[in-house]
Amino acid sequence: MTVLDRFRLDGQTAIVTGGNRGIGREIAQALAEAGANVVVANRNSESGQAAAAEIAESTGVDTLAVETDVADEQSVNAMVDAAVDEFETIEILVNNAGIVVHEAAETMTEEEWDSVVDINLKGTFLCSKAVGQEMMESGGGSILSVSSMSALIANYPQRQVAYNASKGGIESFTRQLASEWAEHDIRVNTIAPGYIRTDNTDQADAIDPDIDEVWKSEMLMDEIAGPEDVAPAAVFLASDASRYMTGARIVVDGGYTVR
Ligand code: NDP
């Protein structure tokens, strides 16, 4: 077996929450290119179906789109049931779905706080719980969650306390889950991206058109990256190439957190 063979995912099944657009879309594509069948789980069924069809067409793997709200346990459980009905076992879960609300702490509403924490943090728990039960029965798997460098730093100039709290929670949740599920051969890791050009970062640009320049001034690499720059780390963490890693984090941030 060559080293590149260890990155192959042939015959495995991956659920990618938010696999219809942004970082999740590129991760879903990359896992499929490595050979995995892919379940796209997101709220908007039209774009989920379109992404699943494009991935199947371009890679030849089998795909399934399931309309899902990761913040709702019934919805998550129905999605996992549909995935198991279609593919029997699930070897990979990517907790990628996430939102940000740019609002100062002193004026953030309870609803805004809850929406961010429910989708980003509770959603990660609900999906991990439902898929973890399946992985325990089938002999193990790999769970990776897209946290953020916001778990490690204070962002500036935008205000986003709920987001940073949710991402810090994902990092802490991951360490604990890795410890609890090692005995089931389930590895649990995170990817912590820096600023990546998606609808998420476009929200901040809409507030302050000069924000990219402020962000870039803090980076070692003078560039806002694209979702395709995050996806290779997901293939690594999903695959046997990272078999000795659990409870760990890969930071993909152009050197932002170094300063
Ligand atoms: P986008 O805004 O482009 O995409 C967000 C994704 O999350 C969409 O696929 C969306 O699906 C899905 N989603 C949101 N809410 C739910 C929900 N309740 N249930 C199911 N799916 C949901 O964001 P990014 O691609 O930028 O972000 C992906 C992840 O990466 C997030 O967790 C984000 O926090 C993280 N991240 C992003 C960074 C960046 O700079 N872009 C930096 C660091 C981390 P739908 O279209 O159906 O709403």
Side-chain angles (χ1 to χ4, degrees):
M1 181 185 278
T2 71
V3 68
L4 289 181
D5 291 334
R6 298 186 62 186
F7 288 79
R8 293 296 313 175
L9 301 171
D10 303 285
Q12 300 192 33
T13 296
I15 293 174
V16 183
T17 68
N20 59 316
R21 62 187 167 102
I23 293 172
R25 174 69 180 81
E26 287 298 325
I27 289 177
Q29 182 76 32
L31 297 176
E33 287 176 9
N37 300 318
V38 170
V39 179
V40 174
N42 68 287
R43 296 176 296 194
N44 181 296
S45 67
E46 202 178 317
S47 60
Q49 298 282 357
E54 286 162 17
I55 292 166
E57 168 78 24
S58 61
T59 64
V61 303
D62 293 326
T63 63
L64 177 72
V66 188
E67 187 180 327
T68 311
D69 178 357
V70 297
D72 179 294
E73 185 159 32
Q74 273 190 333
S75 175
V76 167
N77 290 347
M79 177 273 288
V80 174
D81 286 349
V84 171
D85 278 354
E86 184 77 13
F87 296 113
E88 290 185 21
T89 57
I90 301 158
E91 286 75 21
I92 301 154
L93 167 66
V94 182
N95 289 308
N96 162 82
I99 63 165
V100 63
V101 171
H102 293 126
E103 186 61 59
E106 61 273 26
T107 47
M108 179 172 287
T109 65
E110 184 179 359
E111 288 72 26
E112 287 170 331
W113 173 276
D114 285 347
S115 67
V116 173
V117 174
D118 282 358
I119 292 172
N120 297 6
L121 182 54
K122 189 173 83 173
T124 295
F125 159 64
L126 292 176
C127 293
S128 301
K129 177 185 168 188
V131 174
Q133 288 170 352
E134 295 297 330
M135 288 177 170
M136 283 175 198
E137 276 187 26
S138 61
S142 174
I143 295 175
L144 53 123
S145 300
V146 181
S147 70
S148 172
M149 71 171 178
S150 302
L152 312 169
I153 56 148
N155 292 84
Y156 177 81
Q158 73 276 25
R159 310 296 171 96
Q160 50 178 54
V161 280
Y163 184 82
N164 291 39
S166 72
K167 295 299 185 176
I170 289 173
E171 290 290 338
S172 186
F173 170 78
T174 296
R175 275 191 298 276
Q176 184 63 23
L177 197 65
S179 168
E180 294 186 14
W181 287 1
E183 64 187 82
H184 300 291
D185 290 327
I186 300 172
R187 298 186 299 109
V188 194
N189 295 290
T190 67
I191 300 174
Y195 289 116
I196 310 295
R197 176 67 53 219
T198 67
D199 295 341
N200 176 311
T201 38
D202 287 348
Q203 265 180 262
D205 282 310
I207 298 168
D208 178 355
D210 297 326
I211 207 162
D212 282 10
E213 295 312 311
V214 181
W215 290 346
K216 282 199 265 184
S217 69
E218 298 290 332
M219 290 174 198
L220 301 188
M221 301 170 82
D222 186 31
E223 177 191 346
I224 312 269
E228 66 281 2
D229 296 310
V230 179
V235 176
F236 172 59
L237 285 178
S239 72
D240 190 52
S242 63
R243 62 168 287 280
Y244 197 53
M245 287 178 71
T246 195
R249 169 174 63 232
I250 297 180
V251 180
V252 184
D253 69 347
Y256 191 104
T257 52
V258 169
R259 286 212 173 123

